[in-house]
Amino acid sequence: MKRVESFQIVLHCETYGGMIMAEISRKDSKGRKLHTGETQRKEDGMYLYRYTDVYTGKRKSVYANDLPELRRKEKAIARDIDDNILTDVAAKNLTLNTLFEKYLSISVLDEGTKSSYKNMWNIHVRDVIGNIKVVNLRASHIMSIYSDMSKKKYAQNTIKYIHMLIYPTLEMAVDDDIIRKNPSKNALLSEYGEEPKEKDALSVSEQERLLEFMSNSNIYRKYIPLMTIMTETALRCGELIGLTFNDVDFENKELHIDHQLTYKNYKDGNGCVFRIKKPKSKAGVRVIPLTDRACTAFKEQRKQNFQAGIFCTFELDGITDFVFLTKNGRPMMPNALNNVMYNIVRSYNRSTNSEATIEQFSSHVIRHTGCTNMARVGINVKATQYVMGHAHSDVTMDVYNHLNNKTDVKQEFSKFEENGTKMVQ
């Protein structure tokens, strides 16, 4: 018997229709029969399996040190082919980082949002599991990130934010037939992260005390129009600092919201810059009715700007004549707005007794307060939802309505007592 490379050729002859047929049986160096597509190299004994990629039609090869290992790889390839999973080397070597970059490149997102996503990814994912091949990624890898963030006292919402980056990225890999299932699907457990701290609205008493303090202060009196507009309109921070006097219709007592102003580093080499953005959702484009108090506050703010010799010197995307300006005529930045809130409360607390102090708050708490004030006077929740620019009313009800303190509850029950139907005796 003549050896060809490391194979044995055995002829099995039989008669079929008067003809002699021959079947070739190939074996490896240990005498084991090789299947179709399998070979063993003579020079190093390495096993090789060749097959045709169903997507490209090209011949591909996989290698193994022994036959059982090769058979396991063959079985995996056969399963991938049956399930229409990509078998090419590029797909198998694709890392989570590369996949995320692809996901961002095809997502319909503005550059500011993409910059925020990249920043969070770089902090929490890139060097932790980002270099793992997607085909090797398991739920435990992802859960380890969430668990570590929990141990570091990250909030639940922050962990959910990371999950909402990982999940759609891997879902794209499922849709592209790179993996069968999304390993992050059930990785986010309810116990991960710190419970979110409730963002309380200011009580009526707190608002009254702050207003009185500001009215009597030579330093903080100038911020009364700002605080009034914030509480009367319940605008988001970006919407507030992006307001222009062109958005205010004094005749019809309306405020037109169709943009917001952001200030951040967009990673384009220009550092932190202002940018005009569309509202967060379609519901964010709205026309808000203005109270007489709000209209007066806008007029007072314009008067203050003029008297201080502050004129808007800033224009962005054709938008100018901003309402709230710094000394150099540029729009107020978000952190500057929050610093105003901080300084007012700090100074107020220093001037009062310990029982009447107010907890420090941000501009977002004033948005909560404005919404809660609407609820306090009985404005319909759908109308409040519209003013707030919420896409869903449950956000208006569950997040921004803070009628959950003793004073507000007693006031609501007094309405029930005055207007409720008496039971028939």
Side-chain angles (χ1 to χ4, degrees), residues 222 224-226 228-229 243-246 248-255 290-308 322-324:
K222 65 180 180 180
I224 290 178
L226 169 65
T228 301
I229 292 169
L243 282 179
T244 74
F245 283 108
N246 295 319
V248 186
D249 183 346
F250 289 106
E251 182 178 352
N252 295 306
K253 297 171 61 176
E254 293 177 343
L255 182 63
L290 291 177
T291 62
D292 288 337
R293 292 184 298 273
C295 287
T296 300
F298 275 112
K299 293 175 182 178
E300 180 61 27
Q301 184 64 46
R302 184 162 58 183
K303 178 181 176 181
Q304 283 189 16
N305 292 348
F306 178 78
Q307 290 178 339
F322 290 91
V323 175
F324 301 109

Side-chain angles (χ1 to χ4, degrees), residues 100-101 104-105 111-126 161 165 266-267:
F100 175 69
E101 290 166 5
L104 278 189
S105 69
E111 291 304 313
T113 301
K114 286 186 178 181
S115 177
S116 298
Y117 284 3
K118 288 179 182 178
N119 185 53
M120 292 295 285
W121 186 272
N122 290 339
I123 293 173
H124 298 289
V125 182
R126 179 166 296 280
Y161 189 106
L165 299 181
Y266 290 88
K267 307 296 183 181

